Amino acid sequence: MGISVSPSAANVIAISGLAERSPVYIGPVWNGPYAVITSVVLIGVLFGMQWLGWV
């Protein structure tokens, strides 16, 4: 998820070229909410698994 918000990542640079936007804009603004939501969900799932005794 860190790579998706990094302006120097190859995928962000490629998309910024296609969208004709700056990689500094594409990484944090477009991918930032995705990274935050995904991190929160992942942490919730892991805590839930631990609470249920699956981990």
Side-chain angles (χ1 to χ4, degrees), residues 29-54:
V29 175
W30 285 14
N31 296 338
Y34 159 76
V36 170
I37 291 168
T38 306
S39 296
V40 169
V41 169
L42 178 62
I43 290 169
V45 167
L46 291 174
F47 273 117
M49 289 174 66
Q50 183 180 17
W51 182 72
L52 292 170
W54 293 353

Side-chain angles (χ1 to χ4, degrees), residues 18-29:
L18 292 172
E20 297 178 355
R21 298 275 188 144
S22 167
V24 176
Y25 178 81
I26 297 291
V29 175

